């Protein structure tokens, strides 16, 4: 189950710029939350005065998510940019690409999108003839990432724009034939760890919003029935729940803290 959405509202920057109102209205409708007028108040003042737990603030084209402690999040693709640079410039192999056996033209379902770093790396590998669809159970995370992928200005913009974000729990899709038309070569899961590994979690302030479900044997069987080539589940190496899924093989990095459990499908090429 997803964590419940916080008591949330959408507002503008201190100075409302032309064109911002339409985005504020769009986001409020998407999230099903009210709009509060800024009236030159600080964000923390609004949160307290309006009895909220968090605010989404439209600053220029960028969205900020601010909680009641003042922790602020805005979406950016940094880690994905570093990873793609390591492949492109230094010829390194990305572990996700190896585990998923990503090829140009592949369609990838990222069933646990999060901030989309893995989806961006996958999108770069599959190229413009492929596509990535990301499912995210948290409406707020999905909204921030969808907006970031659609608007972030960068030379990798075409890679970001080739990812479609769908808000919803992956448990709802396995019986939906239309969703799997034309299908996916690869289905990928990267469930939440209860404790983040080191500083690896860019989710930081968004962790309370995330869904902590793990794909169990039933989900895995459903994904295997749908994927054309592979299902991949990322987890901590030696985690008993991951081992219990009994993958066909493992892909691990040098440090061996993380492991990708790889499941071939019957239709594997
Ligand atoms: C560890 S993060 C994924 C990080 C992501 N791979 C990245 O590179 O940014 C896991 C994300 O999956 C989402 N999630 C967990 N279970 C889910 C489910 N059953 N359906 C959809 N999203 C889910 C969580 O809300 C969280 O945002």
């Amino acid at each position: 189950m997803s964590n419940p959405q916080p008591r949330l509202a959408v507002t503008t920057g201190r100075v409302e710029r032309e064109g911002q109102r339409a985005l504020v209205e769009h986001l409020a409708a998407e999230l099903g939350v009210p709009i509060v007028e800024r009236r030159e108040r600080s964000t923390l003042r609004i949160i307290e005065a309006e009895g909220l737990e968090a605010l989404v603030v439209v600053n220029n084209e960028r969205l900020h998510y601010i909680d009641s402690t003042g922790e602020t999040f805005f979406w950016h693709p940094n880690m994905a940019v570093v990873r793609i640079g390591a492949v492109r410039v230094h010829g390194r192999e990305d572990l996700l690409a190896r585990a998923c056996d990503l090829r140009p033209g592949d369609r990838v379902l990222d069933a646990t999108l999060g901030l989309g770093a893995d989806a961006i790396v996958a999108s770069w590998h599959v190229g413009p003839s492929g596509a990535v669809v990301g499912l995210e159970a948290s409406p707020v995370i999905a909204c921030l990432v969808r907006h970031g992928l659609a608007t972030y200005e960068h030379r990798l913009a075409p890679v970001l724009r080739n990812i479609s974000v769908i808000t919803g729990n992956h448990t709802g899709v396995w019986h939906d034939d239309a969703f799997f038309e034309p299908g996916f070569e690869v289905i990928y899961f990267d469930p939440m760890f209860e404790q983040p590994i080191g500083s690896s979690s860019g989710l930081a302030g968004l962790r309370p919003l995330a869904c902590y479900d793990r794909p169990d044997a039933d989900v895995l069987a459903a994904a295997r029935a749908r994927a054309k080539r592979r299902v991949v589940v990322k987890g901590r190496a030696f985690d008993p729940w991951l081992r219990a899924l009994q993958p066909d093989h493992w892909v691990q990095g040098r440090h061996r803290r993380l492991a990708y459990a790889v499941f071939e499908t019957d239709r594997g090429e």
Side-chain angles (χ1 to χ4, degrees):
M1 290 292 290
S2 270
N3 283 336
Q5 188 160 286
R7 278 193 309 280
L8 185 70
V10 185
T11 192
T12 61
R14 266 189 199 269
V15 179
E16 184 174 336
R17 289 178 208 277
E18 213 184 314
Q20 267 184 2
R21 180 62 43 168
L23 180 56
V24 167
E25 285 170 1
H26 173 83
L27 295 170
E30 179 180 331
L31 290 167
V33 301
I35 296 171
V36 292
E37 297 307 325
R38 187 69 193 245
R39 298 203 302 269
E40 299 201 354
R41 294 175 291 177
S42 73
T43 49
L44 286 181
R45 181 107 188 266
I46 296 176
I47 288 174
E48 196 185 329
E50 308 283 342
L52 300 169
E53 291 169 308
L55 261 182
V56 172
V57 183
V58 177
N59 277 317
N60 301 325
E61 275 73 50
R62 186 176 274 188
L63 305 186
H64 286 94
Y65 176 87
I66 302 170
D67 72 16
S68 58
T69 68
E71 177 142 23
T72 301
F73 170 87
F74 66 89
W75 185 87
H76 54 79
N78 284 4
M79 271 319 292
V81 172
V82 172
R83 282 169 59 187
I84 291 170
V87 180
R88 202 174 56 85
V89 181
H90 304 292
R92 301 213 184 102
E93 184 187 39
D94 191 271
L95 274 190
L96 171 79
R98 170 147 50 111
C100 294
D101 185 21
L102 294 175
R103 305 176 197 174
D106 279 352
R107 284 175 46 85
V108 177
L109 173 61
D110 182 344
T112 54
L113 179 70
L115 299 185
D118 286 331
I120 295 170
V121 172
S123 176
W124 184 81
H125 278 87
V126 303
S129 60
V132 177
V133 174
L135 274 167
E136 172 52 53
S138 158
V140 177
I141 296 174
C143 174
L144 296 172
V145 177
R146 179 184 294 113
H147 182 80
L149 289 169
T151 60
Y152 197 86
E153 290 301 340
H154 192 274
R155 64 182 162 69
L156 288 175
V159 173
L160 309 185
R161 310 287 190 263
N162 203 22
I163 301 169
S164 317
V165 178
I166 298 176
T167 306
N169 195 304
H170 62 65
T171 51
V173 302
W174 306 115
H175 297 293
D176 182 350
D177 288 340
F179 182 84
F180 288 96
E181 193 55 52
F184 299 97
E185 274 68 34
V186 177
I187 299 179
Y188 173 63
F189 299 89
D190 174 15
M192 295 292 293
F193 300 138
E194 295 295 333
Q195 298 293 327
I197 290 190
S199 59
S200 69
S201 176
L203 274 176
L206 302 186
R207 287 183 68 80
L209 306 179
C211 171
Y212 283 75
D213 291 354
R214 284 174 178 163
D216 59 16
D218 290 343
V219 167
L220 188 69
R224 283 183 95 159
R226 290 294 190 179
K228 292 181 186 168
R229 188 185 312 133
R230 278 188 179 186
V231 176
V232 174
V233 185
K234 180 176 160 190
R236 276 183 215 269
F238 311 116
D239 231 340
W241 76 268
L242 194 57
R243 304 221 144 238
L245 296 177
Q246 299 186 309
D248 295 316
H249 57 97
W250 297 91
V251 170
Q252 280 189 272
R254 263 188 311 140
H255 301 301
R256 299 190 162 262
R257 283 191 308 179
L258 293 174
Y260 295 83
V262 178
F263 304 84
E264 309 286 352
T265 69
D266 295 343
R267 295 166 304 289
E269 294 155 24

